[in-house]
Amino acid sequence: MSNSYYNSGAYSNPAGGAPAPAPADGGGNAYYNYGQQQQEQEPQQQANPQQQQQQAAAYGGSNAAYANPNQWQQPAQPQQQSMMQPQQQQQPAATNQQPSFWNPGTAATVAAMAGSMAQNGMSNPDAMLNLASSAGQSFLKSSSARMIPGLENTMTSLRGYFAVDNRYVKRKMQRICFPFLAKSWKRLQSEPQGPGTAVSYALPHSDENAPDLYVPIMSFVTYVLLCAMLYGGAGEFSPEVLPEVATWCLGFQILEVLGIRFGYYMMQAPVAFLDLFSYTGYKYLGLCINMVAGIALDRFGIGKEAYYVFFVYTASAASFFMLKTMANNIPLATAHTGPKREMMVVGFALSQFATMYFVSKTKFLS
């Protein structure tokens, strides 16, 4: 009687304190242990119906799941087929899509092909030029390139100025530094033209006298960095040095190009603006030579003197280069009311001497 009362008390006070110790006899212990098992099984029984309901909902009901176990697998097949159909439809569109010119994957592929060709001894400049040209044409034909106004015409016009190879760059630098040794200054025509048709000239990699923008741009960037090195050696370098020197040089070059273009206009002679930027940009190679000589001899205290000694030669070479180039590019027949052709050619040549002097940075040379 006491044992049953004890067990009923344990059930009636679930939130109460600790239960009293069980009696010492065996029957009391049995009833006590049975009460503990009932307490432990009740939370599990309360959780099991929730799990059963979730399983029944997942399989479409408990009765339906046991009646047809394969029923829950059948609806998954149309879903898989519907997911595979868009992917199969997208694959032909992806295969027909042309590689983008600015795509990193295309650039990596072109670089890998160039490396393999160089290792195998098949480094053909024409093949690489054709590969780059095909990639550029595929980009220009894409819809993204046509969304930018004037991009296609700009890229097409600039492509000819960067059609260079190692041989052309080497020979061009020699011609700029030693123009007195050159004999032929006439540009080559790509194809024989009939009367009344526009003259088409050969690209730079086939003609040493053709204007390009690769050598001027590389020389310009090198000269700006050398000026920054000079400022840094004097302890006066700051991030503003790079845009300051670049703006100063570009400003004088633009004024020079506008002046030469005005002279062409007065003579009523045709000329392209990019050709003028190319011809007036070759002087940066001489400026780089002057700066290297000045920095190298500055430790001996004669940096400025060395700079101007080299300046006399490089400015004379740039002026002679411009003289011979303009003399062979300006037509012999010009406007009768305009200035004389010979005077304009000499003026264009002397402009190189003046602009090279104004863009020289010898402030921190000793």
mmCIF file of all heavy atoms in Angstrom, residues 24-51:
data_model
loop_
_atom_site.group_PDB
_atom_site.id
_atom_site.type_symbol
_atom_site.label_atom_id
_atom_site.label_comp_id
_atom_site.label_asym_id
_atom_site.label_seq_id
_atom_site.Cartn_x
_atom_site.Cartn_y
_atom_site.Cartn_z
ATOM 1 N N ALA A 24 13.333 -0.296 0.957
ATOM 2 C CA ALA A 24 14.418 -1.262 0.878
ATOM 3 C C ALA A 24 13.994 -2.593 0.334
ATOM 4 O O ALA A 24 14.812 -3.385 -0.100
ATOM 5 C CB ALA A 24 15.068 -1.462 2.242
ATOM 6 N N ASP A 25 12.714 -2.952 0.372
ATOM 7 C CA ASP A 25 12.287 -4.279 -0.077
ATOM 8 C C ASP A 25 12.328 -4.356 -1.591
ATOM 9 O O ASP A 25 12.324 -3.364 -2.292
ATOM 10 C CB ASP A 25 10.887 -4.576 0.447
ATOM 11 C CG ASP A 25 9.870 -3.519 0.059
ATOM 12 O OD1 ASP A 25 10.304 -2.435 -0.469
ATOM 13 O OD2 ASP A 25 8.686 -3.728 0.257
ATOM 14 N N GLY A 26 12.281 -5.549 -2.139
ATOM 15 C CA GLY A 26 12.357 -5.765 -3.581
ATOM 16 C C GLY A 26 11.133 -5.296 -4.298
ATOM 17 O O GLY A 26 11.214 -4.797 -5.392
ATOM 18 N N GLY A 27 9.928 -5.471 -3.735
ATOM 19 C CA GLY A 27 8.728 -5.049 -4.413
ATOM 20 C C GLY A 27 8.679 -3.566 -4.601
ATOM 21 O O GLY A 27 8.293 -3.063 -5.635
ATOM 22 N N GLY A 28 9.107 -2.848 -3.606
ATOM 23 C CA GLY A 28 9.130 -1.390 -3.732
ATOM 24 C C GLY A 28 10.084 -0.943 -4.811
ATOM 25 O O GLY A 28 9.812 -0.005 -5.552
ATOM 26 N N ASN A 29 11.212 -1.618 -4.894
ATOM 27 C CA ASN A 29 12.172 -1.255 -5.943
ATOM 28 C C ASN A 29 11.612 -1.520 -7.327
ATOM 29 O O ASN A 29 11.848 -0.764 -8.270
ATOM 30 C CB ASN A 29 13.472 -2.043 -5.776
ATOM 31 C CG ASN A 29 14.224 -1.600 -4.522
ATOM 32 O OD1 ASN A 29 14.063 -0.446 -4.107
ATOM 33 N ND2 ASN A 29 15.000 -2.495 -3.931
ATOM 34 N N ALA A 30 10.891 -2.559 -7.493
ATOM 35 C CA ALA A 30 10.324 -2.874 -8.800
ATOM 36 C C ALA A 30 9.331 -1.813 -9.217
ATOM 37 O O ALA A 30 9.328 -1.360 -10.362
ATOM 38 C CB ALA A 30 9.643 -4.246 -8.760
ATOM 39 N N TYR A 31 8.445 -1.454 -8.277
ATOM 40 C CA TYR A 31 7.496 -0.399 -8.622
ATOM 41 C C TYR A 31 8.189 0.919 -8.884
ATOM 42 O O TYR A 31 7.810 1.699 -9.748
ATOM 43 C CB TYR A 31 6.456 -0.221 -7.481
ATOM 44 C CG TYR A 31 5.386 -1.282 -7.474
ATOM 45 C CD1 TYR A 31 5.365 -2.278 -6.512
ATOM 46 C CD2 TYR A 31 4.401 -1.293 -8.464
ATOM 47 C CE1 TYR A 31 4.389 -3.255 -6.514
ATOM 48 C CE2 TYR A 31 3.423 -2.271 -8.467
ATOM 49 C CZ TYR A 31 3.413 -3.252 -7.494
ATOM 50 O OH TYR A 31 2.454 -4.211 -7.512
ATOM 51 N N TYR A 32 9.264 1.164 -8.166
ATOM 52 C CA TYR A 32 9.998 2.424 -8.342
ATOM 53 C C TYR A 32 10.672 2.478 -9.712
ATOM 54 O O TYR A 32 10.633 3.487 -10.408
ATOM 55 C CB TYR A 32 11.016 2.561 -7.226
ATOM 56 C CG TYR A 32 11.883 3.781 -7.345
ATOM 57 C CD1 TYR A 32 11.394 5.030 -7.041
ATOM 58 C CD2 TYR A 32 13.200 3.637 -7.807
ATOM 59 C CE1 TYR A 32 12.180 6.143 -7.165
ATOM 60 C CE2 TYR A 32 13.989 4.760 -7.934
ATOM 61 C CZ TYR A 32 13.488 6.001 -7.603
ATOM 62 O OH TYR A 32 14.270 7.109 -7.725
ATOM 63 N N ASN A 33 11.305 1.402 -10.087
ATOM 64 C CA ASN A 33 11.970 1.373 -11.396
ATOM 65 C C ASN A 33 10.959 1.466 -12.523
ATOM 66 O O ASN A 33 11.206 2.065 -13.564
ATOM 67 C CB ASN A 33 12.793 0.092 -11.555
ATOM 68 C CG ASN A 33 13.966 0.063 -10.572
ATOM 69 O OD1 ASN A 33 14.457 1.127 -10.195
ATOM 70 N ND2 ASN A 33 14.379 -1.136 -10.165
ATOM 71 N N TYR A 34 9.809 0.830 -12.355
ATOM 72 C CA TYR A 34 8.784 0.906 -13.385
ATOM 73 C C TYR A 34 8.285 2.335 -13.543
ATOM 74 O O TYR A 34 8.045 2.809 -14.664
ATOM 75 C CB TYR A 34 7.620 -0.015 -13.011
ATOM 76 C CG TYR A 34 6.495 0.037 -14.012
ATOM 77 C CD1 TYR A 34 6.594 -0.613 -15.227
ATOM 78 C CD2 TYR A 34 5.329 0.772 -13.715
ATOM 79 C CE1 TYR A 34 5.576 -0.555 -16.139
ATOM 80 C CE2 TYR A 34 4.294 0.822 -14.628
ATOM 81 C CZ TYR A 34 4.413 0.154 -15.830
ATOM 82 O OH TYR A 34 3.390 0.196 -16.746
ATOM 83 N N GLY A 35 8.212 3.072 -12.483
ATOM 84 C CA GLY A 35 7.786 4.481 -12.571
ATOM 85 C C GLY A 35 8.807 5.329 -13.305
ATOM 86 O O GLY A 35 8.453 6.221 -14.077
ATOM 87 N N GLN A 36 10.112 5.073 -13.089
ATOM 88 C CA GLN A 36 11.138 5.830 -13.804
ATOM 89 C C GLN A 36 11.108 5.537 -15.297
ATOM 90 O O GLN A 36 11.280 6.414 -16.126
ATOM 91 C CB GLN A 36 12.531 5.495 -13.254
ATOM 92 C CG GLN A 36 12.798 6.137 -11.895
ATOM 93 C CD GLN A 36 14.210 5.856 -11.420
ATOM 94 O OE1 GLN A 36 14.887 4.998 -11.990
ATOM 95 N NE2 GLN A 36 14.638 6.560 -10.400
ATOM 96 N N GLN A 37 10.889 4.280 -15.668
ATOM 97 C CA GLN A 37 10.812 3.946 -17.084
ATOM 98 C C GLN A 37 9.635 4.633 -17.756
ATOM 99 O O GLN A 37 9.723 5.065 -18.892
ATOM 100 C CB GLN A 37 10.717 2.439 -17.277
ATOM 101 C CG GLN A 37 11.978 1.692 -16.846
ATOM 102 C CD GLN A 37 11.819 0.193 -16.948
ATOM 103 O OE1 GLN A 37 10.739 -0.286 -17.347
ATOM 104 N NE2 GLN A 37 12.864 -0.549 -16.597
ATOM 105 N N GLN A 38 8.529 4.721 -17.077
ATOM 106 C CA GLN A 38 7.364 5.402 -17.636
ATOM 107 C C GLN A 38 7.659 6.889 -17.860
ATOM 108 O O GLN A 38 7.245 7.486 -18.852
ATOM 109 C CB GLN A 38 6.143 5.235 -16.704
ATOM 110 C CG GLN A 38 5.624 3.805 -16.626
ATOM 111 C CD GLN A 38 5.013 3.370 -17.941
ATOM 112 O OE1 GLN A 38 4.502 4.205 -18.689
ATOM 113 N NE2 GLN A 38 5.080 2.076 -18.255
ATOM 114 N N GLN A 39 8.405 7.509 -16.916
ATOM 115 C CA GLN A 39 8.745 8.927 -17.071
ATOM 116 C C GLN A 39 9.691 9.159 -18.251
ATOM 117 O O GLN A 39 9.616 10.164 -18.949
ATOM 118 C CB GLN A 39 9.390 9.466 -15.787
ATOM 119 C CG GLN A 39 8.424 9.589 -14.625
ATOM 120 C CD GLN A 39 9.105 10.106 -13.372
ATOM 121 O OE1 GLN A 39 10.315 10.309 -13.387
ATOM 122 N NE2 GLN A 39 8.338 10.311 -12.313
ATOM 123 N N GLU A 40 10.627 8.240 -18.495
ATOM 124 C CA GLU A 40 11.566 8.410 -19.594
ATOM 125 C C GLU A 40 10.918 8.141 -20.944
ATOM 126 O O GLU A 40 11.315 8.716 -21.950
ATOM 127 C CB GLU A 40 12.770 7.475 -19.422
ATOM 128 C CG GLU A 40 13.614 7.830 -18.206
ATOM 129 C CD GLU A 40 14.736 6.828 -17.996
ATOM 130 O OE1 GLU A 40 14.786 5.840 -18.780
ATOM 131 O OE2 GLU A 40 15.521 7.024 -17.098
ATOM 132 N N GLN A 41 9.938 7.278 -21.013
ATOM 133 C CA GLN A 41 9.312 6.933 -22.272
ATOM 134 C C GLN A 41 8.270 7.937 -22.720
ATOM 135 O O GLN A 41 7.963 8.025 -23.896
ATOM 136 C CB GLN A 41 8.667 5.552 -22.194
ATOM 137 C CG GLN A 41 9.690 4.424 -22.061
ATOM 138 C CD GLN A 41 9.031 3.070 -21.926
ATOM 139 O OE1 GLN A 41 7.783 2.983 -21.931
ATOM 140 N NE2 GLN A 41 9.838 2.026 -21.808
ATOM 141 N N GLU A 42 7.699 8.713 -21.782
ATOM 142 C CA GLU A 42 6.653 9.660 -22.145
ATOM 143 C C GLU A 42 7.156 10.755 -23.091
ATOM 144 O O GLU A 42 6.508 11.050 -24.097
ATOM 145 C CB GLU A 42 6.035 10.287 -20.890
ATOM 146 C CG GLU A 42 5.078 9.347 -20.168
ATOM 147 C CD GLU A 42 4.478 10.002 -18.928
ATOM 148 O OE1 GLU A 42 4.846 11.166 -18.653
ATOM 149 O OE2 GLU A 42 3.646 9.384 -18.283
ATOM 150 N N PRO A 43 8.337 11.435 -22.872
ATOM 151 C CA PRO A 43 8.790 12.426 -23.862
ATOM 152 C C PRO A 43 9.082 11.820 -25.214
ATOM 153 O O PRO A 43 8.844 12.416 -26.242
ATOM 154 C CB PRO A 43 10.057 13.006 -23.226
ATOM 155 C CG PRO A 43 9.951 12.683 -21.796
ATOM 156 C CD PRO A 43 9.196 11.411 -21.692
ATOM 157 N N GLN A 44 9.623 10.576 -25.211
ATOM 158 C CA GLN A 44 9.900 9.951 -26.495
ATOM 159 C C GLN A 44 8.618 9.649 -27.259
ATOM 160 O O GLN A 44 8.554 9.794 -28.467
ATOM 161 C CB GLN A 44 10.702 8.661 -26.307
ATOM 162 C CG GLN A 44 12.082 8.908 -25.672
ATOM 163 C CD GLN A 44 12.829 7.607 -25.424
ATOM 164 O OE1 GLN A 44 12.296 6.528 -25.719
ATOM 165 N NE2 GLN A 44 14.033 7.703 -24.906
ATOM 166 N N GLN A 45 7.590 9.225 -26.560
ATOM 167 C CA GLN A 45 6.314 8.953 -27.209
ATOM 168 C C GLN A 45 5.671 10.228 -27.727
ATOM 169 O O GLN A 45 4.967 10.211 -28.727
ATOM 170 C CB GLN A 45 5.369 8.238 -26.231
ATOM 171 C CG GLN A 45 5.809 6.809 -25.885
ATOM 172 C CD GLN A 45 4.904 6.149 -24.875
ATOM 173 O OE1 GLN A 45 3.938 6.786 -24.409
ATOM 174 N NE2 GLN A 45 5.185 4.899 -24.530
ATOM 175 N N GLN A 46 5.920 11.354 -27.016
ATOM 176 C CA GLN A 46 5.384 12.612 -27.507
ATOM 177 C C GLN A 46 6.119 13.103 -28.752
ATOM 178 O O GLN A 46 5.546 13.766 -29.595
ATOM 179 C CB GLN A 46 5.477 13.689 -26.403
ATOM 180 C CG GLN A 46 4.572 13.392 -25.217
ATOM 181 C CD GLN A 46 4.725 14.421 -24.108
ATOM 182 O OE1 GLN A 46 5.528 15.350 -24.264
ATOM 183 N NE2 GLN A 46 3.987 14.254 -23.019
ATOM 184 N N ALA A 47 7.395 12.786 -28.861
ATOM 185 C CA ALA A 47 8.167 13.207 -30.043
ATOM 186 C C ALA A 47 7.931 12.302 -31.234
ATOM 187 O O ALA A 47 8.016 12.733 -32.378
ATOM 188 C CB ALA A 47 9.666 13.245 -29.724
ATOM 189 N N ASN A 48 7.645 11.014 -30.988
ATOM 190 C CA ASN A 48 7.454 10.074 -32.095
ATOM 191 C C ASN A 48 6.271 10.412 -32.971
ATOM 192 O O ASN A 48 6.363 10.291 -34.190
ATOM 193 C CB ASN A 48 7.318 8.652 -31.564
ATOM 194 C CG ASN A 48 8.638 8.127 -31.007
ATOM 195 O OD1 ASN A 48 9.689 8.569 -31.456
ATOM 196 N ND2 ASN A 48 8.594 7.205 -30.067
ATOM 197 N N PRO A 49 5.128 10.860 -32.441
ATOM 198 C CA PRO A 49 4.025 11.238 -33.357
ATOM 199 C C PRO A 49 4.378 12.371 -34.288
ATOM 200 O O PRO A 49 3.962 12.389 -35.435
ATOM 201 C CB PRO A 49 2.896 11.624 -32.401
ATOM 202 C CG PRO A 49 3.183 10.880 -31.148
ATOM 203 C CD PRO A 49 4.653 10.835 -31.040
ATOM 204 N N GLN A 50 5.197 13.334 -33.823
ATOM 205 C CA GLN A 50 5.602 14.411 -34.714
ATOM 206 C C GLN A 50 6.476 13.885 -35.846
ATOM 207 O O GLN A 50 6.328 14.275 -37.005
ATOM 208 C CB GLN A 50 6.347 15.489 -33.939
ATOM 209 C CG GLN A 50 5.479 16.174 -32.880
ATOM 210 C CD GLN A 50 6.257 17.204 -32.098
ATOM 211 O OE1 GLN A 50 7.438 17.373 -32.338
ATOM 212 N NE2 GLN A 50 5.581 17.875 -31.175
ATOM 213 N N GLN A 51 7.409 13.006 -35.540
ATOM 214 C CA GLN A 51 8.246 12.425 -36.585
ATOM 215 C C GLN A 51 7.434 11.598 -37.552
ATOM 216 O O GLN A 51 7.675 11.602 -38.761
ATOM 217 C CB GLN A 51 9.361 11.575 -35.973
ATOM 218 C CG GLN A 51 10.350 12.383 -35.116
ATOM 219 C CD GLN A 51 11.406 11.510 -34.490
ATOM 220 O OE1 GLN A 51 11.356 10.283 -34.662
ATOM 221 N NE2 GLN A 51 12.337 12.121 -33.777
#
